[in-house]
Amino acid sequence: MLKVDCVEKAYKKGGLFSKERQQVLNNVSFTCDYGECLGIIGESGSGKSTLGRLILGMEKADRGTVLFEGGKVTDRRVRSGKLSAVFQDYTSSINPFFTVEKALMEPWNVRGIARREAQEKMDSLLDQVGLTPSYRKKYPHELSGGEIQRVCIARAISTQPKCLLLDEAISSLDVSVQLQVLDLLIKLKKIYGMSYIFITHDIQAAAYICDRVLIFRNGRIEEIIETSRLKDVKSDYAKKLLRMLITF
Amino acid sequence: MRVVKNLWKDKLAAASFLVIMVTITAGIAAPLIAPNDPNEVNMNLRYAASSWEYLLGNDHLGRCILSRLIYGIRPSVLWVLVALFISVFIGAVLGFAAGYFRGKTDALVMRMCDTMLSFPGYVMALAIVGILGVGLENILIAFILIKWAWFARLIRTSVMQYAEQGYVKFAKASGISDFKIIYQHIVPVTLSDIAVLSSSSIGSMVLQISGFSFLGLGIQAPNAEWGMMLNEARETMLTKPELMLAPAFAIIIVVSAFNFLSDALQVALDPKLVTSKKRSFGTNAKNKLQEKEVAS
Ligand SMILES: Nc1ncnc2c1ncn2[C@@H]1O[C@H](COP(=O)(O)OP(=O)(O)OP(=O)(O)O)[C@@H](O)[C@H]1O
Ligand SMILES: [Mg+2]
């Protein structure tokens, strides 16, 4: 369904006339199937978020293509409603001028879904992410981080996407809430059958939810491995990463 | 609607709004409202004190001060507002484009701004007047040319800060068009910044207009203008200081009304009723407190 093929990306370093470029992604290729949960693990600055932005079609790759159901993802029509995302920083993930209701309406408005129909769906959606309909009229500054992240998940799944990208979606929450949100994600996956691309630097969280993990380092794929066989990784870097986890 | 309601609750804002509205209406309807011809010279009434016919008295040429004040609204307030709107509009369009799309657009717009801003404002205005000739409209053109770059710069900075926010990222990812994102997400949050920027420059623009009039480059002599009235009164400042009062108060009242209104607008636009947008997570109690502070 999602096919990332030989993607490269570099950012300009320095000023307007500077020729120097920083290579952030190097020859990245992988696929993600319907209903699969793919984890992308890597340390800070390894280019995970950049890869996420390319998958979401927010930026163009320098080389290579990202195809979603056969269409180029940079085309808005290809991804509209089928590809969605939850980001890390929950403090800015909902417009401070929007109520929860208005924020949830946004993806529906794009797809031209009637107001009344959306209103009916909204309560069940809020219920699915563990919130009550009384949250509708609240502004984001009146919610806790976990609640906001739930609203963001509700907003992301409101159009029933085929694929949901979570960029460090749980990293800024505390551990018990992290677990709740992970369980929520697993539950939602059963209901909607969507696939997740789960970007994180937390191996434990990835191991908890993912079917396959992709170990990422300095803009290159180090190794792709099934979660169940995480113990027998081959590359040195992945081994080091696991060892560090055990010593913790 | 919520914004209007919030504004109305704030007494100072409501008063400021009223003052501005009255001033603008008086300026537009000056021939109907002014009791006398503002340019009629009457040497018998030089420095006359206020009377029923001439409510605020007469100036050094025996002209009706009140009428001159009312006619002076046109160049001093109305035309300044027009120039301001045009420059804010140009600045906003370019600033939004530069701040939102970044990259080449940004580089191009910013280099243009740098070029414009590298000339000192007054020199630029003098050059334009030198090319186009003396007159209020040329001063206004000069103003627009000087000010747009300044607005574009500041609006770009404000837009950049908001374009990075998560809700903009989500909107982009879910395939909403750029135009709609700017209109729905970025314009509302930057609006208060823009309002404060514009209102703070109204004051300086009013004063600059009168400065140019004083130099004989702006509005021409018999026509009324607040800054020019001040300058005329300056000649007799020591013997008849009261002549300065009327134009000085007019300028002070209008400029402060704009400033108060912009402050109130900033608060009214924000659902959290917090002055700073970056402070995203104030507690409710704190917000209520601030609300009271603002109201009192
Ligand atoms: N818009 C940009 N312009 C220039 N450089 C960028 C840009 N975005 C990212 N980079 C650079 O790309 C590199 C990778 O950044 P990225 O945000 O993808 O890392 P990450 O793996 O998501 O890290 P983290 O775990 O901290 O979120 C960084 O060195 C960063 O400086
Ligand atoms: Mg990141």
Short mmCIF file of all heavy atoms in Angstrom, two decimals, chain A residues 11-12 22 24 42-51 53 59 88 167-168 199 201, ligand 1:
data_model
loop_
_atom_site.label_atom_id
_atom_site.label_comp_id
_atom_site.label_asym_id
_atom_site.label_seq_id
_atom_site.Cartn_x
_atom_site.Cartn_y
_atom_site.Cartn_z
N TYR A 11 19.07 18.93 3.17
CA TYR A 11 18.68 20.30 3.46
C TYR A 11 19.86 21.22 3.24
O TYR A 11 21.00 20.84 3.51
CB TYR A 11 18.20 20.43 4.91
CG TYR A 11 16.82 19.90 5.12
CD1 TYR A 11 16.60 18.78 5.89
CD2 TYR A 11 15.73 20.53 4.53
CE1 TYR A 11 15.34 18.28 6.09
CE2 TYR A 11 14.47 20.03 4.72
CZ TYR A 11 14.27 18.91 5.50
OH TYR A 11 13.01 18.43 5.68
N LYS A 12 19.54 22.41 2.79
CA LYS A 12 20.59 23.42 2.62
C LYS A 12 21.10 23.84 3.97
O LYS A 12 20.36 24.01 4.91
CB LYS A 12 20.00 24.62 1.90
CG LYS A 12 20.53 24.76 0.53
CD LYS A 12 20.51 26.22 0.11
CE LYS A 12 20.19 26.32 -1.35
NZ LYS A 12 18.86 26.74 -1.67
N GLN A 22 23.24 19.29 3.77
CA GLN A 22 23.33 18.23 4.77
C GLN A 22 22.41 17.10 4.33
O GLN A 22 21.20 17.29 4.16
CB GLN A 22 22.87 18.79 6.12
CG GLN A 22 22.91 17.77 7.23
CD GLN A 22 22.12 18.25 8.44
OE1 GLN A 22 21.46 19.29 8.40
NE2 GLN A 22 22.17 17.48 9.51
N VAL A 24 20.13 14.28 4.84
CA VAL A 24 19.36 13.81 5.98
C VAL A 24 18.84 12.38 5.74
O VAL A 24 18.81 11.57 6.65
CB VAL A 24 18.18 14.75 6.27
CG1 VAL A 24 17.36 14.25 7.43
CG2 VAL A 24 18.70 16.15 6.57
N GLY A 42 14.96 5.19 15.86
CA GLY A 42 16.25 5.80 15.59
C GLY A 42 16.52 6.86 16.62
O GLY A 42 15.60 7.33 17.29
N GLU A 43 17.79 7.23 16.74
CA GLU A 43 18.07 8.23 17.75
C GLU A 43 17.72 9.63 17.23
O GLU A 43 17.38 9.80 16.06
CB GLU A 43 19.52 8.13 18.20
CG GLU A 43 20.51 8.33 17.09
CD GLU A 43 21.90 7.88 17.53
OE1 GLU A 43 22.03 6.83 18.17
OE2 GLU A 43 22.84 8.60 17.22
N SER A 44 17.83 10.59 18.11
CA SER A 44 17.47 11.96 17.76
C SER A 44 18.34 12.48 16.62
O SER A 44 19.55 12.26 16.62
CB SER A 44 17.65 12.83 19.00
OG SER A 44 16.96 14.02 18.83
N GLY A 45 17.70 13.12 15.67
CA GLY A 45 18.46 13.70 14.56
C GLY A 45 18.79 12.71 13.46
O GLY A 45 19.50 13.03 12.52
N SER A 46 18.25 11.49 13.55
CA SER A 46 18.56 10.51 12.52
C SER A 46 17.69 10.69 11.28
O SER A 46 17.89 10.01 10.28
CB SER A 46 18.39 9.10 13.08
OG SER A 46 17.12 8.96 13.63
N GLY A 47 16.73 11.61 11.34
CA GLY A 47 15.91 11.90 10.17
C GLY A 47 14.57 11.22 10.15
O GLY A 47 13.93 11.14 9.11
N LYS A 48 14.12 10.78 11.32
CA LYS A 48 12.82 10.09 11.38
C LYS A 48 11.67 11.03 11.01
O LYS A 48 10.81 10.70 10.20
CB LYS A 48 12.57 9.53 12.78
CG LYS A 48 13.66 8.64 13.31
CD LYS A 48 13.31 8.08 14.66
CE LYS A 48 13.08 9.14 15.72
NZ LYS A 48 14.29 9.80 16.21
N SER A 49 11.68 12.21 11.63
CA SER A 49 10.59 13.14 11.36
C SER A 49 10.61 13.61 9.91
O SER A 49 9.56 13.80 9.30
CB SER A 49 10.69 14.36 12.27
OG SER A 49 10.58 13.96 13.60
N THR A 50 11.81 13.77 9.37
CA THR A 50 11.93 14.14 7.96
C THR A 50 11.29 13.08 7.08
O THR A 50 10.52 13.39 6.17
CB THR A 50 13.41 14.31 7.60
OG1 THR A 50 14.02 15.17 8.55
CG2 THR A 50 13.57 14.87 6.22
N LEU A 51 11.59 11.83 7.37
CA LEU A 51 10.97 10.73 6.63
C LEU A 51 9.45 10.78 6.77
O LEU A 51 8.72 10.59 5.79
CB LEU A 51 11.52 9.40 7.15
CG LEU A 51 11.02 8.13 6.49
CD1 LEU A 51 11.37 8.14 5.01
CD2 LEU A 51 11.60 6.90 7.15
N ARG A 53 7.60 13.42 7.30
CA ARG A 53 7.06 14.52 6.49
C ARG A 53 7.00 14.15 5.02
O ARG A 53 6.07 14.53 4.30
CB ARG A 53 7.92 15.77 6.66
CG ARG A 53 7.68 16.50 7.98
CD ARG A 53 8.18 17.93 7.91
NE ARG A 53 9.61 18.02 7.68
CZ ARG A 53 10.53 17.95 8.65
NH1 ARG A 53 10.15 17.81 9.89
NH2 ARG A 53 11.80 18.06 8.36
N GLU A 59 6.55 17.49 2.18
CA GLU A 59 7.75 17.96 1.49
C GLU A 59 8.04 17.02 0.35
O GLU A 59 7.60 15.88 0.35
CB GLU A 59 8.94 18.00 2.45
CG GLU A 59 8.96 19.20 3.36
CD GLU A 59 10.05 19.10 4.40
OE1 GLU A 59 11.12 18.52 4.09
OE2 GLU A 59 9.84 19.61 5.50
N GLN A 88 4.06 14.78 17.76
CA GLN A 88 4.56 14.70 19.12
C GLN A 88 4.06 15.81 20.04
O GLN A 88 3.54 15.55 21.11
CB GLN A 88 6.10 14.77 19.08
CG GLN A 88 6.73 14.93 20.43
CD GLN A 88 8.25 14.91 20.36
OE1 GLN A 88 8.83 15.12 19.30
NE2 GLN A 88 8.87 14.62 21.45
N ASP A 167 4.11 10.32 14.76
CA ASP A 167 5.49 10.78 14.95
C ASP A 167 5.70 11.11 16.42
O ASP A 167 5.30 12.16 16.88
CB ASP A 167 5.76 11.99 14.05
CG ASP A 167 7.22 12.39 14.10
OD1 ASP A 167 7.99 11.79 14.86
OD2 ASP A 167 7.59 13.32 13.36
N GLU A 168 6.31 10.22 17.13
CA GLU A 168 6.57 10.38 18.56
C GLU A 168 5.29 10.79 19.30
O GLU A 168 5.32 11.64 20.18
CB GLU A 168 7.62 11.47 18.79
CG GLU A 168 8.79 11.36 17.86
CD GLU A 168 10.08 11.06 18.56
OE1 GLU A 168 10.05 10.85 19.78
OE2 GLU A 168 11.11 11.01 17.89
N ILE A 199 6.58 6.15 14.56
CA ILE A 199 7.94 6.69 14.68
C ILE A 199 8.24 6.95 16.15
O ILE A 199 7.45 7.59 16.85
CB ILE A 199 8.07 8.00 13.88
CG1 ILE A 199 7.83 7.74 12.41
CG2 ILE A 199 9.43 8.63 14.11
CD1 ILE A 199 7.87 8.97 11.55
N HIS A 201 11.61 6.81 19.46
CA HIS A 201 12.97 6.43 19.84
C HIS A 201 12.92 5.44 21.01
O HIS A 201 13.93 5.10 21.60
CB HIS A 201 13.81 7.66 20.18
CG HIS A 201 13.19 8.54 21.21
ND1 HIS A 201 12.74 9.82 20.92
CD2 HIS A 201 12.91 8.34 22.51
CE1 HIS A 201 12.22 10.35 22.00
NE2 HIS A 201 12.31 9.47 22.97
N1 LIG C 1 13.48 21.99 7.53
C1 LIG C 1 14.77 21.66 7.78
N2 LIG C 1 15.76 22.43 7.31
C2 LIG C 1 17.04 22.09 7.54
N3 LIG C 1 17.44 21.03 8.22
C3 LIG C 1 16.51 20.22 8.71
C4 LIG C 1 15.11 20.50 8.53
N4 LIG C 1 14.41 19.52 9.13
C5 LIG C 1 15.30 18.69 9.66
N5 LIG C 1 16.55 19.10 9.43
C6 LIG C 1 17.79 18.40 9.85
O1 LIG C 1 17.62 17.04 9.56
C7 LIG C 1 18.14 16.23 10.59
C8 LIG C 1 17.12 15.20 10.99
O2 LIG C 1 16.02 15.83 11.60
P1 LIG C 1 14.72 15.06 12.06
O3 LIG C 1 13.79 16.06 12.65
O4 LIG C 1 14.20 14.27 10.93
O5 LIG C 1 15.31 14.11 13.20
P2 LIG C 1 14.50 13.08 14.12
O6 LIG C 1 15.07 11.75 13.84
O7 LIG C 1 13.05 13.24 13.95
O8 LIG C 1 14.94 13.52 15.55
P3 LIG C 1 14.04 13.55 16.89
O9 LIG C 1 14.04 12.16 17.42
O10 LIG C 1 14.79 14.48 17.78
O11 LIG C 1 12.70 14.05 16.54
C9 LIG C 1 18.54 17.15 11.72
O12 LIG C 1 19.95 17.19 11.75
C10 LIG C 1 17.99 18.49 11.34
O13 LIG C 1 18.91 19.48 11.65
#
